[in-house]
Amino acid sequence: NTFPPYTLDLQIISTDENQVFVAVQEWYQTDTYNLYQSDPQGVYYSILLENVRSTKQPEENVLIDVLEVRGVKGVFLANQKIDGKVTTLITYNKGRDWDYLTPPVTDMNGKPTNCKPPDCHLHLHLRWADNPYVSGTVHTKDTAPGLIMGAGNLGSQLVEYKEEMYITSDCGNTWRQVFEEEHHILYLDHGGVIVAIKDTSIPLKILKFSIDEGQTWSTHNFTSTSVFVDGLLSEPGDETLVMTVFGHISYRSDWELVKVDFRPSFPRECTEEDYESWDLTNLQGDHCIMGQQRSFRKRKITSWCIKGRSFTSALTSKVCECVNSDFLCDYGFERSAPLKSESSKCFADFWFNPEAPPEDCVLGQAYTSSPGYRKVVSNVCEGGVDLKQNLAQHLCPLIAHKGLKISIKGKNLAVKPGEDIIFIVSQEQGDILNTKYQVDLGDGFKATYVNLTLTGEPIRHRYDTPGVYRVSVKAENIAGHDEAVAFVQVNPPLQALHLEAVPVIGRNQEVNLTAIILPKNPNLTVFYCWIGNTLQPLLSLESFLVIRFADTGEVRVAVQAACGNSMLQDSKTIQVFDHFQVLPLKFTNHLDTYNPNIPEWREDIGLVVTRLLAKETNIPEESLVTVVKPGLPTTADLHMLLPVNQPKWKRSVASDKRIAAIKQALNAHNISFFLRGGYWVLVTLANSDSDSQRIGGGGGYWAIVVIFVICLVVVGAFILYKFKRKLPGRNVYAQMHNEKEQEMTSPVNHSEDTQNIIQGEEFIDDDLDSQTLGNARGNHSGVVLSINSREMHSYLVS
């Protein structure tokens, strides 16, 4: 469908008589819509009325203040909002012309209203009722043509809190006030009886009814006990005279149903002598509306009879000659007057070129340009004025391409290797039959097509290699050319994600959070990082983030990696302290031979070293954290956490004792573990001035050194610890390198039963038993920690 440009929202108002009425919110509007009308094919739309008020409901539904008057085709009511003022307008020719409602001369008591145009008019609320069992603020009916009853007020604009009741029986030409408050309305017997019940929150026992189109009103006690009215219902059929009032006596009681039968009030059925005719006219007094003169039958006010089932409202119609008011502006044209009845000339909109050929114009064929007018749909006028007769004929030129696009079916620009992709080429305008389309899919595939956009033939392709591919299509003819480009990402699905971060950090110190993904997809992965309990992530194309923590305590850090259609997540807990000590650990080159340099292996080695040190020195394991660093040579940091509930001098004494215990264990070579391949791993302390400078202290600095010692060991004398952790990174690493992970062993007493040997597993258990690690003494241990003669310095991080 061809709607005007810059459209934000659209609401369908009516689809009657093979024509669509729509309310369109355009780029400059907030609480108003413009009313458009389609041609008979429902393709091209012309503007009818600007700035129709809209209201947004709590459920996000939008209500437009437009009401189709039932009973007389072509009549609509609308509330227009300009500069904050809301006024009610009426049209008799499907929106071609709009006028204000004529106010009544006197009120319901016969007193002058002193409301005179152009400063004062009648305005009506056009709300739908929230309760489906009561009428809205304006009530009309198909079998009661010309009868309109609604709530509103007199004045220069519509006032929300004023809901006086007004009625017209000649389709809006003359109005009368009938009530000072809003009432629920029900039409019986084709509008021969109008029932009204006050819209109020207090209980009622009285209803009002009129049999003379609201000229006079009678009251009726429909119940002896007052009820809170919930709704009004009539029996099926327009001719019925039976209605039901339902409500409740109190808020705790059940519904009460009261049936009211008006049939006994009428002595007989109507005959032809009981009816008279009335002619439909607009506010200017014109009888030719929608190209015809229409007369309707109505019951005489003096007749007290039932219309019944056989009643029909239509009487006669006569076709009129066409005049200017039978034509409205064509697509792309509009009249400049605020009320369309004030002007009859149509001008082209700024965005529309009447001479431009249509999009489907083919070279050699002819097209017509509109003079700006077309007859109102359903208008039956004949002869007379024909504003469409000045149609200009043009030959279709060779049109250059405009709006060329290449898209992927499904709108997914990220695919997997080997996945089928369907490319679709389209264009907004331009010649099709005399054009060549050159397609380049970016991986070496190039082709030239003819009539590509005419046949709608898709281009099917698949990419086998990951990467970013530039897809382009160029359309070219003698008149010009156009090009469209799209970028396609071909990504293998993510298989593993590991967040690498030190578990212990000082307050306000920088910490590096690094996300390791497999397989690596540089420049194609987006990383989302959540710090603490925040719901707002930090986004980055880099796999690392440097951050500081201002408060002490535990902080949960989570990272998500998104690549194409796949996404993985990992998280870590970081402990932030004011005070702790760091002892760098340095391993010999032999350990590097068995270092796969993956996060899980480093975590396992750190866990083994921590538990060995805790077991040998009787230091609580939760006070020690060993962090093995990435890269080669293999190094680590031993974090010694200090109790926070003790004074600083006590913490210093406790740390000195722990350092002394670590010195003793290292000097005695009591810390060891065995690595498959016949190597003992020994740990000692060595001097490292560069490391001490890294921490910021002066003097000598001690590092733990792991020394591999070749020895002959009976395999049965050791327990093989299983690597049970099936972490994604390890699995992928093993698959990618086609290697088997190294199994870790730990020494035990030779007298232990060899049935404890467990073989064939590749992964370390999460819960390593510290009782089996390093419980031998002296030279029988696999990893020995010893102390250099120089004094070891510890550093306080704060």
Side-chain angles (χ1 to χ4, degrees), residues 92 102 115 156 190 217 237 268 280 305 353 398 400 465 504 507 634 648 732:
Y92 292 88
T102 304
C115 180
S156 60
H190 308 280
W217 292 86
R268 60 183 176 85
L280 176 65
C305 58
N353 180 10
L398 184 64
T465 306
V504 179
R507 186 165 59 89
T634 308
K648 287 187 177 180
V732 174

Side-chain angles (χ1 to χ4, degrees), residues 295-573:
S295 296
F296 296 90
R297 182 197 311 227
K298 63 186 301 185
R299 191 180 62 190
K300 296 178 181 178
I301 295 178
T302 57
S303 295
W304 188 278
C305 58
I306 301 174
K307 294 182 180 181
R309 181 173 298 179
S310 60
F311 172 77
T312 57
S313 58
L315 189 58
T316 61
S317 63
K318 178 183 176 182
V319 177
C320 303
E321 286 190 350
C322 296
V323 294
N324 289 351
S325 60
D326 294 318
F327 295 84
L328 52 73
C329 295
D330 204 353
Y331 171 77
F333 294 82
E334 65 174 294
R335 280 175 283 169
S336 58
L339 293 180
K340 304 308 179 185
S341 60
E342 299 176 5
S343 173
S344 60
K345 192 172 182 179
C346 297
F347 299 90
D349 283 310
F350 73 94
W351 50 265
F352 183 71
N353 180 10
E355 304 297 328
E359 297 176 3
D360 56 353
C361 199
V362 178
L363 182 65
Q365 295 183 357
Y367 71 96
T368 59
S369 59
S370 172
Y373 303 92
R374 62 180 172 88
K375 186 187 289 188
V376 177
V377 174
S378 303
N379 190 301
V380 297
C381 70
E382 296 178 355
V385 176
D386 186 4
L387 297 180
K388 296 181 60 178
Q389 64 183 354
N390 297 323
L391 296 176
Q393 293 284 335
H394 306 276
L395 290 177
C396 291
L398 184 64
I399 305 174
H401 294 278
K402 181 180 179 182
L404 186 67
K405 295 180 181 179
I406 182 167
S407 58
I408 298 177
K409 187 176 182 180
K411 308 297 183 182
N412 188 8
L413 295 176
V415 298
K416 301 176 183 177
E419 184 177 348
D420 280 343
I421 308 174
I422 298 178
F423 294 99
I424 300 174
V425 179
S426 61
Q427 64 187 40
E428 294 180 359
Q429 78 174 39
D431 182 81
I432 297 176
L433 298 179
N434 303 279
T435 301
K436 292 183 179 180
Y437 299 87
Q438 300 175 10
V439 177
D440 184 350
L441 299 185
D443 63 345
F445 177 88
K446 298 181 180 181
T448 301
Y449 296 85
V450 179
N451 301 338
L452 182 61
T453 58
L454 176 65
T455 60
E457 176 185 358
I459 303 172
R460 190 180 299 270
H461 193 66
R462 64 175 57 179
Y463 297 94
D464 296 325
T465 306
V468 178
Y469 296 89
R470 183 182 186 272
V471 179
S472 65
V473 57
K474 183 177 181 180
E476 186 174 13
N477 58 29
I478 300 176
H481 63 86
D482 195 8
E483 185 176 5
V485 176
F487 292 90
V488 179
Q489 294 187 17
V490 181
N491 306 318
L494 294 177
Q495 301 178 29
L497 168 65
H498 181 86
L499 175 59
E500 197 163 78
V502 292
V504 179
I505 191 66
R507 186 165 59 89
N508 291 323
Q509 286 189 332
E510 288 187 350
V511 57
N512 193 326
L513 310 176
T514 303
I516 301 174
I517 58 172
L518 291 176
K520 294 182 179 179
N521 294 311
N523 301 325
L524 296 180
T525 305
V526 179
F527 296 92
Y528 304 80
C529 187
W530 283 269
I531 309 297
N533 296 324
T534 179
L535 296 178
Q536 186 67 33
L538 302 175
L539 271 66
S540 175
L541 296 177
E542 301 289 345
S543 60
F544 65 90
L545 175 66
V546 178
I547 196 169
R548 299 171 184 264
F549 300 106
D551 300 320
T552 59
E554 287 190 352
V555 180
R556 170 69 65 173
V557 178
V559 65
Q560 284 183 347
C563 183
N565 294 326
S566 62
M567 178 178 288
L568 296 177
Q569 176 173 315
D570 191 20
S571 62
K572 288 288 186 295
T573 298

